Amino acid sequence: MSMATERDDLAADMAVLAANARRAAKSLAAATSEAKNAALAAMARHIRAASGRIASANQRDVALATSQQRTKAHIDRLTLNPERIEAMARGLEDIAGLPDPVGAVMANWTRPNGLEISRVRVPIGVIGIIYESRPNVTADAGALCMKSGNAAILRGGSDSFQSSSLIVECLKAGLCEAGLDEDCIQMVPTSDRRAVGMMLEGLSGAIDLIVPRGGKSLVGRVQAEARIPVFAHLEGICHVYVDAAADLAMARAIVVNSKLRRTGICGAAETLLVDRAGKERLLEPLIAALIEAGCEVRGDAEACAADHGVKPASEEDWHSEYLEAIIAVRVVDGVGEAIEHIARYGSQHTDSIVTGDAAVARRFLDEVDSAIVLHNASTQFADGGEFGFGAEIGIATGKLHARGPVGLEQLTTFKYQVRGSGQVRP
Amino acid sequence: MSMATERDDLAADMAVLAANARRAAKSLAAATSEAKNAALAAMARHIRAASGRIASANQRDVALATSQQRTKAHIDRLTLNPERIEAMARGLEDIAGLPDPVGAVMANWTRPNGLEISRVRVPIGVIGIIYESRPNVTADAGALCMKSGNAAILRGGSDSFQSSSLIVECLKAGLCEAGLDEDCIQMVPTSDRRAVGMMLEGLSGAIDLIVPRGGKSLVGRVQAEARIPVFAHLEGICHVYVDAAADLAMARAIVVNSKLRRTGICGAAETLLVDRAGKERLLEPLIAALIEAGCEVRGDAEACAADHGVKPASEEDWHSEYLEAIIAVRVVDGVGEAIEHIARYGSQHTDSIVTGDAAVARRFLDEVDSAIVLHNASTQFADGGEFGFGAEIGIATGKLHARGPVGLEQLTTFKYQVRGSGQVRP
């Protein structure tokens, strides 16, 4: 077959997918919460019933990835064991338990001429999810899109193709059982990489939004190439600034937790800024606590002088998202210089200040231009669940529409419904 | 000078503009409402004081445009007379009177662990406005951006360059008088068209959002080429559907007003859909009222049969935004076919149903996927002022962030401010 013919075939397949998604989105927008929740419960049942088959399919995916010399971390992300399959089913039930955002009246008011205006939440339409090896994203992202009334077009990594295909079968079975269109959740049926390019172009207007789930190279490519809106964060270069007016015990607990509770998540702190005015009291104990907890510390000259275990930091360190037990430490001249450092090196994700001074805290919360700014709390709270949103599809550092944790509400838009009694405009 | 050098010079100029805008946006985000309102009042004073000079500059712009054989409509849009200059000054005072969206707490809640989370409105950052011949957009758009805490980079049509430059001088004088950074409002200092391309690329991350103001070809170019978010509508193909259960007198008033109150605005109706079940009672009187009011009517076979004054419509007519006293009329099988017609031919802007049947109205309001859907009211209410938003920068038909009239609130985003007392994540 010629390349041109192959490309035409792919384009034709993607056009069918797009048309199906549009049709499904239209019917799903009008679906009741009961039907959507019934579908989610049925999906969970089907996942549990197919647990053995999913595990076998996953073993074939893992065997192939192993033969291709994938990294251990990659294989771990790809692997589904019975506990992970059960967690996936429970995740679907959790989403069923969340309030349905669709149809909620966000605001309503009456104009002097008697027109009643309501701002009502409606689904966005069709959401494309581009992800890597984790097969559980299939269930998680498909369900979040569906509950928020959006059709999903899923494009997972080729590594997890067999596991994900079987999971999608279970999701579709759940949709059918609840009387919903099974094309509410579709998977791109090929691992042809050009399909991703077509999705990033929006499939001729059929996709409203792209959510990438995965590492920095995937997100970077999606952000650079997408011609349609993207909800994502490229990286989380999160800071903790410890002010001179901080309580040492609190600062120590927050710094260690922000960096080390889990080092691989986007809300993990990567840089510690310490106020020069509090240096004598704070710097050495904070560094000691980090080193004692197993963290490598790279610092500026003052940090190096404070503890012999500190390695000199280079300019590159202030730009680094380590995602490991490494932290960069710098001494700054008060909250002003901390804010400047964060503006220059941060990623507008999550930043925290530790201080007992309310005015300094207010300045930090107002002036740091990040999705999430915290006072006297760990950066690791940057999470939809911790915000009370339930499951999240990711965290966005863009400023438009969604910012911070992206939960069900952020996957909706709104329309204005205006009710009159014959009003015409003078 | 070589082309390459010219391009380098332009790029350098635009980089300076971008850096100035970023710096100004940062200080403006922290400005008080009082300072912003004082600046707006001072801008209005400066506009009034410079009225004679603005009129002279405008006469030079108009003379040049006339010598270049511009259309009469174009010259009219370009022209500033004393009334229009006064209206511009009053517009600035009106914006001063609107509530400041920045700093408003949109929601706040306390988590079981004691974390207090607030969702707080903040400015977006830097907004690029690309417009055509109307010099008053300079004042209007610059002021709306400034009041919502955003720095504006204005790029007007080369035709209005002299008028707009003088208006920007007045705005900057107002900013200075109120102690604000005059670079909160900047104008691209060249009519080099490549500057527009650079803005559409986002000036290396310096522009967060583009708002085009002008005709379809400008908006179309911006939507096609922008690599950053755009708030706009390409066209307003607005429909009025008159259901069998409509009151004839109400339907007549709404149809005539929707089409003819002002034909040149995006909320003007372009297509009338009449329910076949009510055809005998409704079709002929509605057509007669339109023709009597001076409207050309183009219709399907049934509309042509109802009145000899109706010309046959072609497929093209259902896709047309006339922006003139012309309407397309089609008979449809009830609300379902009306919804299908709108989904196929509409532009997701504004659509209205006239009916006495509440269930039919509800279905239309729920299923028509437009920014604004109305029941028993004219489509000409599609306007920020009519919604109670005060001045608007335009109407958006995109679904993300802003949809419908774009007022001050829609020119902001939000951040999460989280206040703790030492919480770490378990």
Side-chain angles (χ1 to χ4, degrees), chain A residues 309-396:
Chain A
V310 178
K311 300 176 186 169
S314 69
E315 175 71 12
E316 187 55 26
D317 283 294
W318 316 118
H319 288 287
S320 292
E321 186 191 30
Y322 301 114
L323 298 175
E324 304 181 57
I326 305 174
I327 196 166
V329 180
R330 181 173 216 169
V331 175
V332 294
D333 268 329
V335 68
E337 204 185 345
I339 292 167
E340 279 169 32
H341 178 100
I342 294 168
R344 180 158 174 200
Y345 297 105
S347 58
Q348 302 193 302
H349 191 293
T350 298
D351 300 288
S352 179
I353 181 174
V354 185
T355 185
D357 184 326
V360 169
R362 197 173 319 114
R363 184 171 166 203
F364 184 92
L365 295 190
D366 284 346
E367 295 187 20
V368 171
D369 188 18
S370 296
I372 302 170
V373 283
L374 305 110
H375 173 211
N376 290 347
S378 167
T379 59
Q380 299 241 353
F381 286 111
D383 173 272
E386 293 297 322
F387 272 57
F389 295 172
E392 65 173 32
I393 205 160
I395 290 188

Side-chain angles (χ1 to χ4, degrees), chain A residues 365 368 376 399 413 415 422, chain B residues 365 368 376 399 401 413 415 422:
Chain A
L365 295 190
V368 171
N376 290 347
K399 285 188 169 182
T413 179
K415 65 161 82 161
Chain B
L365 295 190
V368 171
N376 289 347
K399 287 189 168 181
H401 193 94
T413 178
K415 67 161 80 161

